[in-house]
């Protein structure tokens, strides 16, 4: 684009220099950017800035002052009376009545008794409201930091005043977020509750003791924790949040979670929270729904505020106090729990008026703009959230779960983007599942595989993954189970027959992960247990399965049993992570693909100075196969999926395998080498210094 054209690009549309196809939507970009700037300016004027605005958790909710007094503030504009009740005053509704200001915020200060707070630690409390129609209603404080559930009594949560006598002391703050910030993000997606092999809910402390060391040994440098924000229904996988500032009490105390994160930081790992701001549980008794007696306090009123597919409530992101609540929620997890960033759930649902329900995306840019398609207030919230977080600390990581392909999602706000650091490559796992379910190995299309793995927006970083928690849920199966199915029950032992199905499954499990890791993005994600080929599927206790925990756990026992073949897949996954750690292909420019051969089922590409060779043919191995390479010299194998320690057949002798380039152009590269490449094998070659 010429300098004259550059001069014509207005503020907030700098993304046009990256993607000229956005030119017809220049005014949409400018309008979106101006809306965000107007909000930033307003918050600067009225609140001391957006970063200060995000400290709402310090002024709302319950706070113990230095003298032991307790200050409580709650926004409930349509209530006509309010008081705080609990065990501390025998639930007397008239004793501690609150006062309301002109903004609809109720407040009260409970005086201490000689420095001792009136409300004892770890006791039950509620907000007692009188609604506009005269009815009374008890609510859990919206900013409450601890809620518990006793299913033997009721599924409804109780609000707990949490004021432990000894505050958690962080031990590893000397390792800064900047020092931990991963150049190549290798993300381990985990759920604390299922991290035990036992038929129960796992705990934060068990995860710290047992699972953290496994993750670190594998070579992952980022942990993404799911289902941390408190959710009423365990089987919702954490996506029906009731109390946004409370971490799930199923797994232990807030201090237990802080210890988990502290220990992860000690290991140099970054910790992300799977944050759910796309919707909220519709519960009234222990959620935000109908909090002050109206359906429009935190959410849109009427049908606009209801998600028909998720049966949940949708936030009104245009409201001042809703913005304060959500931005402060992010800031709270950064400040209080030392999380290093967020994976934003349900971004597609947020960005569009149709919420992605019954709607496909063809990639046409008209689908991404216009008042009829896009929800401008939600877009503005996402821009403000990313702006606030990165202004607070540029090393905070944000990841968007978006299936639509929204352009500019991972472009900075200053250029007209939304400001995320990464987006999930959600089409990649769908491709692998579709191939395994519907296409014979002989008919796999190399061109389509490469296209799906390499198809991402220019200058927008992508998290590639072969499968996540979505693919493992009941109704579907893990990749390992799609590959090997019932034979995983009978033939995963080294002393049993290596059947063709198990042999194929182990080989493809490794190759699928390696090509996804190396070609698919700028970061990589794995869901807990899938690295070793976890069998079956994931299903939480519910009425439909007799409230069984059988499928709501991770069967570490099959990995730790050295007679079983799961250890080979685990060893390969670890080698893959550590090899990337040495050569850094994820942080390098996208790959140059030199070969997609449909008959030979061969894919060859270069990235980060490495040469990647994949033979996906089900039966045919190739001797002296010629592949192009740009940089001349001698090459050696640094990763071979067919090694015996990875459950392979060791068909390549690494000691004798030295590869010298020939200066003859091949497949668009200046040189070639000749290799022996067995069937269903992936090789990584590095130049010898």
């Amino acid at each position: 684009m010429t300098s004259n054209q550059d001069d014509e690009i207005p503020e907030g549309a700098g993304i046009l220099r990256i993607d000229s196809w956005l030119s017809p939507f220049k005014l949409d970009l400018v309008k979106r950017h101006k809306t965000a700037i107007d909000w930033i300016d307003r918050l600067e004027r009225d609140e001391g800035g957006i970063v200060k605005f995000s400290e709402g958790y310090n002024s709302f909710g319950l706070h113990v002052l230095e003298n032991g007094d307790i200050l409580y503030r709650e926004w409930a504009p349509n209530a006509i009376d309010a008081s705080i009740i609990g065990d501390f005053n025998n639930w007397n509704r008239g004793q501690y009545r609150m006062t309301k200001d002109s903004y609809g915020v109720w407040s009260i200060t409970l005086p201490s008794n000689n420095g001792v707070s009136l409300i004892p630690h770890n006791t039950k409390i509620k907000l007692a409201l009188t609604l506009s129609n005269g009815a009374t209603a008890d609510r859990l404080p919206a900013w409450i930091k601890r809620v518990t559930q006793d299913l033997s009594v009721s599924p409804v949560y109780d609000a707990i005043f949490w004021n432990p006598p000894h505050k958690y002391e962080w031990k590893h703050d000397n390792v800064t977020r900047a020092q931990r910030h991963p150049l190549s993000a290798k993300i381990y997606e985990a759920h604390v509750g299922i991290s035990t092999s036992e038929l129960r809910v796992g705990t934060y402390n068990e995860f710290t003791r047992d699972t953290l060391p496994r993750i670190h040994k594998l070579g992952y440098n980022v942990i993404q924790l799911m289902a941390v924000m408190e959710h009423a229904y365990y089987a919702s996988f954490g996506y029906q949040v009731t109390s946004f500032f409370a971490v799930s009490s199923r797994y232990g105390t807030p201090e237990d979670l802080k210890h988990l994160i502290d220990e992860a930081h000690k290991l140099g790992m970054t910790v992300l929270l799977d944050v759910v701001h796309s919707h909220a549980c519709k519960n009234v008794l222990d959620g935000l729904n109908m909090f002050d007696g109206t359906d429009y306090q935190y959410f849109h009123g009427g049908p606009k505020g209801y998600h028909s597919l998720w049966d949940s409530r949708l936030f009104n992101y245009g409201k001042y106090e809703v913005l304060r609540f959500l931005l402060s929620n992010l800031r709270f997890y950064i400040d209080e729990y030392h999380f290093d960033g967020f994976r934003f759930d349900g971004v597609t649902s947020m960005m569009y008026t149709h919420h992605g329900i019954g709607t496909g995306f063809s990639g046409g840019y008209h689908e991404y703009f216009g008042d009829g398609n896009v929800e401008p207030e939600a877009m503005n919230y996402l821009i403000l959230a990313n702006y606030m977080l990165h202004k607070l600390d540029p090393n905070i990581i944000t990841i968007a779960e978006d299936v639509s392909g929204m352009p500019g999602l991972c472009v900075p706000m200053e250029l007209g983007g939304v400001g995320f650091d990464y987006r999930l490559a959600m089409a990649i796992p769908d491709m692998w599942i579709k191939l395994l379910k519907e296409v014979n190995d002989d008919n796999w299309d190399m061109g389509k595989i490469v296209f799906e793995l390499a198809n991402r927006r220019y200058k927008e970083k992508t998290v590639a993954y072969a499968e996540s928690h979505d693919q493992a849920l009941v109704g579907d199966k893990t990749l390992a189970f799609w590959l090997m199915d019932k034979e995983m029950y009978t033939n995963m032992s080294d002393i049993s027959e290596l059947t063709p199905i198990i042999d194929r499954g182990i080989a493809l499990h490794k190759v699928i992960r390696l090509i996804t890791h190396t070609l698919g993005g700028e970061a990589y994600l794995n869901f807990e247990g899938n690295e070793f080929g976890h069998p079956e599927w994931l299903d939480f206790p519910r009425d439909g399965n007799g409230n069984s925990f059988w499928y709501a756990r991770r069967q570490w026992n099959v990995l730790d049993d050295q007679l079983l073949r799961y250890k080979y897949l685990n060893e390969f996954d670890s080698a893959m992570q550590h090899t990337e750690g040495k050569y850094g292909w994820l942080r390098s420019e996208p790959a140059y693909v030199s070969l997609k051969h449909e008959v030979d089922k061969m894919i060859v590409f270069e990235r980060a100075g490495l040469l990647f060779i994949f033979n996906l043919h089900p039966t045919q191995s190739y001797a002296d196969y010629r592949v192009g390479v740009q940089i001349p010299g001698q090459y050696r194998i640094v990763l071979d999926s067919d090694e015996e320690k990875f459950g392979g057949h060791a068909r390549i002798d690494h000691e004798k395998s030295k590869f010298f380039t020939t200066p003859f152009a091949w497949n668009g590269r200046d040189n070639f080498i000749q290799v022996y490449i067995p069937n269903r094998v992936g090789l990584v070659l590095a130049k010898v210094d």
Side-chain angles (χ1 to χ4, degrees):
M1 191 173 279
T2 66
S3 59
N4 288 338
Q5 288 173 310
D6 279 356
D7 293 340
E8 296 170 3
I9 295 177
E11 181 182 358
I15 190 177
L16 297 180
R17 297 186 183 94
I18 300 172
D19 188 350
S20 60
W21 289 97
L22 285 166
S23 295
F25 307 98
K26 178 170 62 178
L27 295 180
D28 295 270
L29 291 169
V30 170
K31 180 181 178 182
R32 187 171 77 185
H33 180 75
K34 185 179 184 303
T35 299
I37 292 297
D38 287 346
W39 266 100
I40 291 169
D41 291 343
R42 178 183 178 186
L43 295 175
E44 185 69 39
R45 182 185 67 243
D46 298 342
E47 300 281 351
I50 190 169
V51 172
K52 186 68 176 177
F53 183 62
S54 70
E55 295 175 359
Y57 72 89
N58 283 325
S59 56
F60 283 83
L62 293 107
H63 298 277
V64 180
L65 307 181
E66 289 185 3
N67 63 358
D69 291 356
I70 297 173
L71 172 64
Y72 176 37
R73 298 179 74 234
E74 192 78 68
W75 178 57
N78 289 285
I80 60 174
D81 195 16
S83 60
I84 182 170
I85 59 175
D87 292 334
F88 73 98
N89 76 334
N90 293 316
W91 305 93
N92 185 341
R93 300 177 68 89
Q95 187 173 8
Y96 294 109
R97 297 179 67 182
M98 305 170 72
T99 57
K100 182 181 182 183
D101 67 16
S102 59
Y103 298 101
V105 176
W106 295 87
S107 63
I108 188 173
T109 299
L110 301 175
S112 66
N113 182 9
N114 294 321
V116 178
S117 297
L118 184 63
I119 307 177
H121 165 63
N122 201 22
T123 59
K124 296 177 183 179
I125 57 169
K126 280 188 178 180
L127 171 67
L129 296 176
T130 301
L131 309 180
S132 58
N133 61 3
T136 58
D138 294 344
R139 299 285 187 255
L140 273 57
W143 301 71
I144 194 72
K145 298 172 185 174
R146 174 75 168 169
V147 295
T148 59
Q149 184 185 49
D150 185 351
L151 290 174
S152 66
V153 177
S154 169
V156 177
Y157 273 90
D158 292 309
I160 303 297
F161 181 70
W162 195 253
N163 183 34
H166 302 290
K167 307 302 181 186
Y168 184 81
E169 294 184 10
W170 294 88
K171 302 175 183 63
H172 305 294
D173 274 353
N174 57 313
V175 184
T176 67
R177 187 173 288 122
Q179 291 172 313
R180 293 191 305 272
H181 189 79
L183 295 175
S184 297
K186 297 181 283 286
I187 306 167
Y188 196 90
E189 184 183 41
H191 183 293
V192 171
I194 69 166
S195 295
T196 175
S197 294
E198 298 179 26
L199 300 175
R200 57 175 176 81
V201 177
T203 69
Y204 296 123
N205 286 336
E206 290 168 342
F207 188 94
T208 304
R209 183 193 68 207
D210 302 330
T211 310
L212 266 185
R214 292 182 185 271
I215 300 170
H216 183 250
K217 184 178 179 181
L218 282 167
Y220 289 89
N221 53 15
V222 180
I223 301 173
Q224 180 178 297
L225 290 178
M226 306 177 61
V228 169
M229 303 167 73
E230 193 59 274
H231 46 290
Y233 186 40
Y234 188 47
S236 74
F237 222 146
Y239 294 120
Q240 291 281 343
V241 175
T242 45
S243 293
F244 283 74
F245 290 83
V247 300
S248 184
S249 58
R250 290 181 179 88
Y251 321 132
T253 68
E255 288 66 37
D256 294 340
L257 176 58
K258 291 175 183 179
H259 177 60
L260 186 164
I261 295 170
D262 206 7
E263 289 300 304
H265 288 166
K266 176 185 176 182
L267 297 172
M269 305 184 75
T270 291
V271 186
L272 307 181
L273 173 68
D274 192 357
V275 69
V276 185
H277 283 181
S278 49
H279 64 131
C281 180
K282 70 176 184 179
N283 284 14
V284 173
L285 295 179
D286 53 8
L288 293 179
N289 192 19
M290 304 294 292
F291 189 83
D292 69 352
T294 66
D295 70 344
Y296 54 81
Q297 182 188 354
Y298 283 97
F299 312 107
H300 288 289
K304 187 177 181 181
Y306 178 72
H307 197 293
S308 59
L309 194 62
W310 296 343
D311 192 24
S312 56
R313 298 304 314 275
L314 297 172
F315 286 105
N316 182 346
Y317 302 100
K319 273 192 171 183
Y320 198 91
E321 292 301 330
V322 173
L323 277 181
R324 188 198 305 273
F325 183 83
L326 294 175
L327 291 175
S328 297
N329 192 228
L330 298 173
R331 180 70 183 275
F332 171 76
Y333 283 107
I334 296 291
D335 291 352
E336 182 72 14
Y337 288 96
H338 294 204
F339 277 99
D340 301 302
F342 304 94
R343 179 257 199 195
F344 282 72
D345 173 69
V347 168
T348 304
S349 174
M350 296 174 70
M351 293 191 299
Y352 301 99
T353 55
H354 50 67
H355 308 298
I357 301 174
T359 303
F361 293 92
S362 66
Y365 278 40
H366 64 283
E367 297 170 338
Y368 304 123
F369 298 95
D371 293 339
N373 290 333
V374 176
E375 177 53 67
E377 293 169 342
M379 288 293 295
N380 183 60
Y381 165 67
L382 292 171
I383 293 170
L384 293 180
N386 279 287
Y387 176 82
M388 181 275 291
L389 289 168
H390 292 128
K391 187 175 177 64
L392 178 67
D393 186 343
N395 294 295
I396 289 173
I397 295 173
T398 59
I399 302 173
E401 186 210 28
D402 170 45
V403 72
S404 74
M406 168 67 75
L409 195 62
C410 300
V411 171
M413 184 203 77
E414 293 78 7
L415 299 179
V418 182
F420 284 98
D421 294 302
Y422 297 92
R423 68 195 314 153
L424 292 178
M426 301 183 71
I428 292 177
D430 292 342
M431 173 195 70
W432 290 124
I433 290 291
K434 186 177 179 67
L435 280 175
L436 295 179
K437 288 170 67 173
E438 301 176 8
V439 183
N440 185 282
D441 293 6
D442 292 309
N443 296 323
W444 282 19
D445 188 316
M446 301 298 102
K448 287 183 178 179
I449 291 174
V450 169
F451 174 80
E452 204 61 71
L453 289 170
N455 181 29
R456 50 191 184 272
R457 296 202 177 277
Y458 182 60
K459 295 293 184 181
E460 298 195 42
K461 292 190 289 187
T462 298
V463 180
Y465 56 106
E467 56 182 330
S468 75
H469 67 272
D470 288 326
Q471 284 70 43
L473 289 172
V474 63
D476 212 327
K477 296 184 285 193
T478 63
L479 281 182
F481 213 56
W482 276 115
L483 285 163
M484 296 175 276
D485 204 66
K486 62 184 179 181
E487 289 201 14
M488 295 189 81
Y489 297 121
T490 57
N491 290 84
M492 283 299 280
S493 170
D494 276 331
I495 60 176
S496 65
E497 177 190 2
L498 179 63
T499 65
I501 287 177
I502 296 296
D503 191 29
R504 169 184 178 265
I506 289 176
L508 286 181
H509 193 273
K510 293 178 292 185
V511 169
I512 285 172
R513 294 178 124 64
L514 182 59
I515 196 171
T516 300
H517 203 308
T518 55
L519 185 57
E522 290 69 41
Y524 177 78
L525 179 142
N526 169 73
F527 177 63
E528 181 177 17
N530 288 346
E531 70 275 8
F532 65 82
H534 200 285
E536 302 172 324
W537 52 87
L538 189 62
D539 190 13
F540 286 86
R542 54 189 174 85
D543 290 341
N545 65 12
N547 290 308
S548 170
F549 280 89
W550 187 259
Y551 299 109
R553 61 192 178 113
R554 296 289 86 179
Q555 298 181 47
W556 304 111
N557 52 295
V558 302
L559 169 61
D560 296 335
D561 188 336
Q562 291 304 298
L563 285 177
L564 299 182
R565 294 182 167 119
Y566 296 96
K567 63 180 181 288
Y568 300 131
L569 300 178
N570 192 74
E571 188 69 24
F572 178 76
D573 195 89
S574 180
M576 189 166 61
Q577 311 310 328
H578 286 288
T579 305
E580 195 289 328
K582 181 176 181 179
Y583 294 99
W585 59 72
L586 289 172
R587 59 180 177 267
S588 300
E589 289 297 310
Y592 181 91
V593 181
S594 60
L595 180 65
K596 299 170 284 186
H597 200 295
E598 298 300 342
V599 176
D600 294 348
K601 301 301 179 190
M602 290 287 298
I603 296 172
V604 179
F605 56 89
E606 294 154 85
R607 189 177 185 187
L610 302 174
L611 179 62
F612 300 88
I613 306 169
F614 291 88
N615 179 1
L616 291 170
H617 201 288
T619 58
Q620 187 65 53
S621 300
Y622 304 105
D624 296 325
Y625 197 90
R626 187 175 292 187
V627 298
V629 61
Q630 188 62 26
I631 302 173
Q634 180 184 348
Y635 284 78
R636 64 184 178 90
I637 296 172
V638 294
L639 187 60
D640 171 9
S641 69
D642 196 45
E643 281 195 69
E644 187 174 5
K645 64 182 178 180
F646 304 143
H649 299 286
R651 286 169 284 183
I652 301 174
D653 187 336
H654 289 204
E655 292 298 319
K656 296 180 180 179
S657 296
K658 295 182 174 65
F659 308 98
F660 296 90
T661 59
T662 299
F664 184 86
W666 193 258
N667 290 336
R669 311 311 273 160
D670 289 347
N671 308 277
F672 74 80
I673 61 172
Q674 290 178 276
V675 300
Y676 170 51
I677 177 71
N679 66 307
R680 290 181 177 144
V681 167
L683 294 179
V684 183
L685 275 61
K687 190 173 179 292
V688 177
D689 293 332

